[in-house]
Amino acid sequence: MKNIDRRKFIGTAALAGIGIAGAGMAASGCKRKSENIKLKLPPILKGAPSGKKLRAGLIGAGARGTGAAINFISSGPDLEIVALSDLFQDKIDACRERFASFNLPIPAENCFAGFDGYKKLMALPDLDVVLLATPPQFRPDHFLEAVTRGKHVFMEKPVAVDPVGIRSIITSGRKAEAIGLNVVTGTQRRHQEDYIETFRQVAGGAIGRITSAKAWWNQDHVWFREREPGWNDMEYMIRNWNNFCWLCGDHILDTHVHNIDVINWFIGKYPERAIGYGGRHRRVTGDQYDFFSIDYDYGSGVSSHSMCRQIDSCANGTGELVMGTEGYTNCQNTIWDLDGNVKWKFEYPLDENGTRMNQTVIPPYVQEHMHLVWAIRTGNYVNEAEQTALSTLTAIMGRTAAYTGRAITWDEIFKSDMDLGPSKLQFGPVDMVFETPVSGTPVISNVKPLYKGQII
Amino acid sequence: MNYIIRRRPSAGCRARTWFFISGLLVCALLFYSGRKLIKATSTDKSCMSCHVHPHADQSWKLSSHYNNASGTIVHCAQCHLPPEGEGYLVAKAKHGLKDLYGYLFKDTSEIEWEKKRLLEYAKKIVYEKSCIDCHENLFPVTLSVNGGNAHLFYTESKDPLNCINCHLTVGHFDKNAVLHEHDTNFGVTVTSNEPPFAEPAKVAEFKNFTEMIPGTRISFEMIAIPGGTYRMGSPDDEPLRDPDEGPVRTVTLSPLWIGRAEVSWDEYMTFFRETGSPPGTKVTQLPNLKDVDAISGPTPPWGAPDQGWGKGSRPAITMTWYAANVYCEWLSRITGKKYRLPTEAEWEYACRGGTKTPYFFEGDPKDYSSEGFLKRLIRPDTGIIASKVIYGLSSGSKTAEPSSLKENPFGLKNMAGNVAEFCSDFYAPDFYASDSTGADPRGPAKGQEHVIRGGSFRSDAKDVRSAARDYTRTKEWLVTDPQMPKSIWWYSDCIDVGFRVVCEADDSIVK
């Protein structure tokens, strides 16, 4: 051992070290990968892998659609938005301008307005992916067309507003599976590292057997649009879609479905029955409720209480809680024992100043697109259509229980012929009645005051 | 040094070796020829050599499993035997022995080939595993919305379903088969040049009358059945009875009219034309009929509810129990009378026509029945029963027109056989023991399924006895309906149940 080149030695040792570490990482990575497959967990990626250029079209170019399109292109290399479709030209123009501001022009001839715009878009040659982000009423038709045209799909939640739409999504999802089209949905908590690691703990028995759950989404009132002169019924309703049940499905679908989906995911099944109620006090447009309170019965004595409210100046917050025989969790990052002591906490990364962050580095909205692109480019198949359809159906079951006052079973809602849309989609007057649902039957009473002002 | 001791093999050992080698050779030969034999006896030609019913060959060649765009031909054994390794040889031996027996002992001209094309027989000779073995993808991109719903139902169903529940005719073509298509032309054509009836029948006394449906040329006969007392059910010593037919009890009934025959297609089609709802009409909850002003009747059926046998005076079939009740309500409104389904007690009273025997004619169920091993070999006596009843052995596997048969003592046709008939009562097997109502008894207050009576063109002689009871099977009868939820108007999987109406007699007429 003479004349050892010190630098060379260090280099070799370092390489060996990397080799050993690499082997270790590969081994633990392998284990993790097989566990991910077993638990059906998506990978957590720093970015989508490189590969063939993917050209995507966006259907529904509103705020969420434009956001989803930006999330898509920022999830990895060689991802492009090449086409747009929306009912309204002004939405298309705004979205194009946004992309032009990033120096990513979208050719005008690839932009299609109107009810059949999505068909024209999907007929474009060399389109690999479509992003479906219209109001959920239209999703089943768009998804079916996408699968028929052989496109990979990202679609926003909720995926439909009624059971007829849900069954369409499930069937199209199975068609997609048969021909290897990847489908990712916008239930982003399932792509969020902290949720995924908490789920891994719970699946490993960290809280014992699950005994009950709670889910809530309470917030201020959401946006609404006042009718402008010159708008026909259809244009008004679609521009104010978030306030009409046939377009939005009510907020128990629109937003609360995220929490409901988490509970279904953690419990590992879908509820057998729902009983609940709701009402409308503060809204100014549309036909929807302000609040819902639903008891979802998962069988064997396990229930989840679901509540959602959109009223200003009330106690607000969103989240989930799952209770087990040996502890409980907020599903997002912490597990407590039955006395309320923290048993486990997800460790968030440090930011550039060395302080611990309170969220993941890559937003889940981008992570879900990384997952889609990863699946397309590596051949690791993903299809979330059915799982999100069934969580949306869970929300529909709760909504129907509140609207009708009846107990709604899973079997009944799965087979229901409820179909909320008008028979024909076209601009113009719409012949539909929009009464806010009232549950039960009225009380018949002959009680009248004997004199003015008498308390009865 | 090593010594190698070589022993000469003994003679016995040599023989054993030769025996072993020749045994191997014989086995190999048998194996080889056996495989050849199995192959040779599974060819279409081999099948056809015994299955000497040329229409099987012809209908196969017209079917989508032969005559299709892809040019693929699916051979006999690919559907009629399970896939190799999944019970192939056992099934082959079973069917082979059966075929051999039939070939040696049966007259092919006497075999009812039509019957073998019905679902219940087809299930025995078409293997689900074989369907799935080829049809791996149940959700091809080209699948329709109804197809998607039906396949979703198939994959999600907890009860086992068969592909041929829906796809019965894909292997052997049938021009009458319509798969999953609303038959919107059903009942559109009306052929009659005669002036329509202006008014329904006027009934002033308790006698037989002919009801006329106003605005049509359709009429039917109602027979006046005097009130009386009879012993309902079957005694313990009645041959081939079931326990739910007892104990026998004494029942008194008020006079009423009952249809001379089952409600015919002509009559039912009038109802369908006048009240029918467009396809897709939704009924989420069944309305209480007495409360509705205008009756909304059936949506168009799936396929051909008359099974291609023709309509006219043949009994209407495949309507649901609910639809039969809506028919009665509609008939009551247009005639100003009180029509309804008979109660079970009324039905048996009318069927017996005063007789106390197993049938309303002479004979022992044991002689007429073909149940039991020996009876399957020797065809039972059909003489008397076949002139009175359309049942399994006399029907040719379809309904008959009432004109082809003799009446019972009350002058009624097809009380036994032809089609089983809905009663208004819920079914409960132990109801006779628990009920003590002597006069005009009704069934249990609550229940799931309703009583059907009289047996049908598919029944054994045992089940067309006057006391024999049966009940609706709502779930089974809707298995292949692709709609979600399923139709409230038409059973997709029941072809042998219909109904007859009774008309209540007013106090003013019956004193």
Side-chain angles (χ1 to χ4, degrees):
Chain A
M1 300 253 286
K2 36 192 166 168
N3 266 345
I4 293 174
D5 186 332
R6 200 177 131 81
R7 274 168 65 193
K8 196 176 166 191
F9 172 76
I10 292 172
T12 315
L15 271 177
I18 289 169
I20 290 161
M25 270 168 68
S28 70
C30 261
K31 189 178 158 232
R32 176 148 281 226
K33 198 177 169 192
S34 74
E35 188 181 86
N36 281 358
I37 291 168
K38 202 177 116 212
L39 297 176
K40 294 181 186 156
L41 294 175
I44 293 300
L45 304 162
K46 299 274 178 276
S50 56
K52 178 191 156 253
K53 178 178 279 183
L54 294 178
R55 294 157 49 87
L58 169 66
I59 294 166
R64 179 77 281 265
T66 306
I70 293 168
N71 295 152
F72 174 75
I73 54 169
S74 46
S75 70
D78 291 318
L79 302 169
E80 282 183 1
I81 298 292
V82 297
L84 298 178
S85 151
D86 197 284
L87 279 183
F88 305 113
Q89 190 60 45
D90 54 299
K91 298 280 177 191
I92 291 178
D93 294 344
C95 185
R96 272 188 80 211
E97 262 170 48
R98 189 88 187 273
F99 272 79
S101 75
F102 305 140
N103 216 7
L104 297 167
I106 299 166
E109 66 269 23
N110 283 0
C111 295
F112 308 97
F115 279 109
D116 59 350
Y118 76 96
K119 284 199 171 174
K120 293 178 188 161
L121 182 145
M122 291 198 217
L124 286 176
D126 306 327
L127 198 66
D128 308 293
V129 179
V130 288
L131 315 176
L132 311 181
T134 63
Q137 164 66 31
F138 310 112
R139 195 98 66 248
D141 288 346
H142 294 178
F143 185 40
L144 175 60
E145 180 75 8
V147 172
T148 310
R149 290 278 183 180
K151 312 296 177 205
H152 300 286
V153 175
F154 170 81
M155 59 179 170
E156 269 302 343
K157 50 39 55 183
V159 291
V161 294
D162 49 43
V164 169
I166 293 295
R167 291 196 298 271
S168 168
I169 294 282
I170 295 174
T171 326
S172 301
R174 292 190 184 181
K175 288 178 179 180
E177 190 178 350
I179 54 174
L181 297 173
N182 291 286
V183 184
V184 165
T185 61
T187 44
Q188 81 273 357
R189 281 166 173 71
R190 297 226 197 197
H191 299 270
Q192 203 170 314
E193 189 178 6
D194 43 7
Y195 271 91
I196 289 170
E197 292 311 315
T198 312
F199 179 84
R200 202 188 300 278
Q201 294 290 324
V202 171
I207 62 166
R209 200 161 45 80
I210 291 173
T211 54
S212 71
K214 172 166 102 159
W216 61 100
W217 188 296
N218 298 326
Q219 66 165 106
D220 286 351
H221 85 271
V222 290
W223 62 267
F224 63 92
R225 293 201 63 172
E226 285 168 48
R227 192 162 179 160
E228 289 178 16
W231 284 356
N232 56 50
D233 289 350
M234 184 62 88
E235 174 162 11
Y236 163 59
M237 284 195 287
I238 294 178
R239 286 197 184 273
N240 194 18
W241 69 271
N242 209 19
N243 292 284
F244 286 94
C245 186
W246 75 270
L247 282 157
C248 160
D250 216 326
H251 61 100
I252 189 172
L253 268 73
D254 186 45
T255 44
H256 190 41
V257 71
H258 281 303
N259 315 115
I260 291 173
D261 181 56
V262 167
I263 302 296
N264 285 342
W265 177 26
F266 274 62
I267 293 184
K269 56 182 175 180
Y270 299 95
E272 295 170 4
R273 207 167 79 116
I275 294 179
Y277 35 81
R280 174 185 172 109
H281 293 330
R282 300 288 192 185
R283 271 169 196 261
V284 287
T285 67
D287 60 349
Q288 300 187 145
Y289 275 6
D290 287 325
F291 56 87
F292 291 88
S293 171
I294 312 290
D295 180 88
Y296 285 111
D297 184 347
Y298 285 81
S300 318
V302 177
S303 263
S304 173
H305 177 215
S306 254
M307 57 173 162
C308 53
R309 178 174 59 197
Q310 294 184 340
I311 298 180
D312 298 352
S313 316
C314 294
N316 285 341
T318 64
E320 303 90 17
L321 187 139
V322 171
M323 191 86 197
T325 51
E326 287 162 37
Y328 60 95
T329 176
N330 62 0
C331 302
Q332 188 178 0
N333 50 31
T334 312
I335 290 172
W336 293 268
D337 68 15
L338 290 174
D339 297 320
N341 307 309
V342 173
K343 275 168 83 174
W344 174 88
K345 224 172 160 39
F346 175 76
E347 214 165 89
Y348 290 100
L350 304 171
D351 66 10
E352 57 270 30
N353 304 325
T355 31
R356 186 135 339 255
M357 296 167 63
N358 58 4
Q359 57 186 19
T360 53
V361 180
I362 296 168
Y365 307 100
V366 180
Q367 188 65 244
E368 59 199 11
H369 289 278
M370 289 178 181
H371 187 186
L372 176 66
V373 175
W374 170 80
I376 297 171
R377 285 183 173 165
T378 63
N380 284 282
Y381 184 70
V382 59
N383 188 335
E384 300 178 335
E386 191 156 333
Q387 134 196 328
T388 305
L390 293 177
S391 280
T392 308
L393 187 66
T394 311
I396 295 172
M397 176 162 80
R399 182 189 72 201
T400 310
Y403 280 3
T404 63
R406 293 194 298 119
I408 307 292
T409 64
W410 182 259
D411 198 46
E412 175 184 345
I413 205 71
F414 190 87
K415 293 178 180 168
S416 164
D417 61 355
M418 185 199 298
D419 182 357
L420 300 181
S423 52
K424 207 162 180 202
L425 287 172
Q426 59 191 18
F427 286 116
V430 175
D431 183 21
M432 284 168 81
V433 187
F434 297 99
E435 282 170 358
T436 304
V438 178
S439 61
T441 53
V443 175
I444 312 280
S445 165
N446 296 319
V447 179
K448 290 190 182 96
L450 293 174
Y451 53 88
K452 203 177 165 205
Q454 187 201 16
I455 295 169
I456 52 170
Chain B
M1 282 285 283
N2 290 326
Y3 293 92
I4 301 165
I5 302 166
R6 295 188 59 149
R7 275 196 301 175
R8 285 184 67 83
S10 70
C13 187
R14 245 181 307 166
R16 273 206 298 277
T17 310
W18 278 115
F19 183 74
F20 180 70
I21 289 170
S22 55
L24 266 184
L25 278 174
V26 169
C27 282
L29 194 70
L30 272 180
F31 184 72
Y32 177 71
S33 58
R35 279 204 66 82
K36 277 205 105 166
L37 184 73
I38 287 165
K39 272 220 151 100
T41 53
S42 289
T43 60
D44 298 333
K45 215 173 160 186
S46 160
C47 297
M48 299 294 178
S49 69
C50 289
H51 286 259
V52 275
H53 43 304
H55 54 267
D57 185 32
Q58 285 155 12
S59 59
W60 168 54
K61 284 180 175 161
L62 288 172
S63 80
S64 56
H65 278 63
Y66 188 112
N67 180 22
N68 56 52
S70 74
T72 309
I73 293 175
V74 183
H75 302 280
C76 304
Q78 285 178 282
C79 297
H80 294 298
L81 285 178
E84 287 193 41
E86 296 185 54
Y88 178 81
L89 285 180
V90 175
K92 187 171 167 59
K94 194 181 98 186
H95 291 300
L97 284 174
K98 192 164 176 287
D99 289 350
L100 185 68
Y101 169 81
Y103 184 69
L104 294 176
F105 298 110
K106 280 198 172 163
D107 179 354
T108 50
S109 64
E110 274 190 17
I111 296 174
E112 291 180 64
W113 298 112
E114 277 303 304
K115 205 168 182 173
K116 301 203 183 286
R117 298 190 59 178
L118 296 178
L119 179 67
E120 54 201 18
Y121 188 81
K123 276 186 200 168
K124 296 179 191 165
I125 52 165
V126 177
Y127 287 83
E128 189 72 3
K129 279 181 194 161
S130 300
C131 303
I132 299 296
D133 202 40
C134 285
H135 297 272
E136 291 177 75
N137 180 9
L138 297 187
F139 293 92
V141 170
T142 48
L143 191 65
S144 68
V145 172
N146 278 327
N149 269 336
H151 285 191
L152 191 59
F153 179 65
Y154 174 83
T155 56
E156 298 305 301
S157 172
K158 290 181 191 92
D159 307 310
L161 294 173
N162 293 84
C163 295
I164 57 169
N165 278 139
C166 294
H167 304 277
L168 182 60
T169 58
V170 292
H172 294 277
F173 179 72
D174 178 355
K175 66 178 172 14
N176 292 318
V178 186
L179 178 70
H180 296 173
E181 206 70 58
H182 263 307
D183 189 354
T184 44
N185 288 325
F186 184 70
V188 167
T189 49
V190 197
T191 47
S192 176
N193 307 325
E194 294 173 81
F197 299 121
E199 287 187 336
K202 286 201 174 69
V203 179
E205 49 187 336
F206 189 63
K207 302 204 304 200
N208 297 355
F209 70 94
T210 301
E211 184 62 276
M212 293 166 284
I213 300 179
T216 74
R217 282 301 296 179
I218 307 296
S219 65
F220 56 92
E221 287 174 72
M222 294 297 289
I223 307 293
I225 306 285
T229 298
Y230 81 110
R231 302 273 289 160
M232 183 174 177
S234 63
D236 292 345
D237 58 355
E238 182 168 311
L240 303 180
R241 80 189 282 271
D242 285 317
D244 66 347
E245 297 165 22
V248 175
R249 56 186 182 145
T250 303
V251 165
T252 304
L253 289 170
S254 311
L256 56 83
W257 287 277
I258 188 163
R260 182 157 185 264
E262 291 142 345
V263 170
S264 69
W265 273 120
D266 275 344
E267 293 152 45
Y268 198 76
M269 293 310 287
T270 309
F271 160 66
F272 177 78
R273 275 191 292 270
E274 294 197 1
T275 66
S277 312
T281 305
K282 284 160 195 168
V283 181
T284 43
Q285 262 182 315
L286 300 185
N288 187 346
L289 288 173
K290 306 285 175 202
D291 300 341
V292 291
D293 297 333
I295 291 181
S296 305
T299 49
W302 298 94
D306 66 342
Q307 311 299 311
W309 303 332
K311 299 192 187 78
S313 66
R314 273 181 208 273
I317 48 175
T318 79
M319 80 294 289
T320 61
W321 184 89
Y322 174 76
N325 278 275
V326 178
Y327 172 88
C328 293
E329 180 64 24
W330 166 80
L331 187 61
S332 301
R333 289 189 190 196
I334 59 163
T335 60
K337 303 187 182 70
K338 285 182 195 159
Y339 282 102
R340 57 171 172 79
L341 293 180
T343 65
E344 189 174 13
E346 288 163 355
W347 192 94
E348 187 171 327
Y349 180 64
C351 177
R352 288 185 174 279
T355 63
K356 292 170 182 153
T357 45
Y359 303 105
F360 57 80
F361 46 89
E362 63 272 37
D364 186 330
K366 275 196 286 196
D367 298 336
Y368 295 143
S369 172
S370 35
E371 287 201 353
F373 179 69
L374 273 180
K375 281 290 171 58
R376 269 187 218 153
L377 297 181
I378 310 156
R379 215 173 144 82
D381 176 16
T382 54
I384 299 170
I385 187 171
S387 71
K388 309 266 187 181
V389 183
I390 302 291
Y391 75 116
L393 289 184
S394 66
S395 65
S397 298
K398 55 185 180 186
T399 59
E401 294 171 345
S403 57
S404 65
L405 270 198
K406 292 183 181 160
E407 299 162 344
N408 85 346
F410 277 158
L412 306 173
K413 291 196 166 200
N414 288 327
M415 286 302 289
N418 210 17
V419 294
E421 299 173 14
F422 293 125
C423 292
S424 56
D425 296 351
F426 280 117
Y427 173 81
D430 52 357
F431 183 66
Y432 289 10
S434 60
D435 182 57
S436 57
T437 326
D440 293 323
R442 294 181 176 273
K446 283 184 177 173
Q448 290 289 320
E449 302 288 353
H450 290 95
V451 172
I452 54 175
R453 282 298 212 118
S456 77
F457 65 87
R458 302 163 102 169
S459 299
D460 180 65
K462 163 188 188 295
D463 297 317
V464 297
R465 288 173 304 110
S466 300
R469 307 177 71 200
D470 201 354
Y471 54 94
T472 54
R473 286 160 178 82
T474 309
K475 201 174 160 190
E476 262 175 63
W477 291 352
L478 282 165
V479 160
T480 63
D481 184 343
Q483 304 171 99
M484 287 193 187
K486 292 166 182 294
S487 178
I488 60 165
W489 299 110
W490 302 99
Y491 292 128
S492 50
D493 305 272
C494 168
I495 58 170
D496 63 343
V497 179
F499 64 107
R500 83 175 65 216
V501 294
V502 295
C503 181
E504 289 181 11
D506 264 337
D507 292 348
S508 59
I509 293 170
V510 189
K511 275 131 207 159

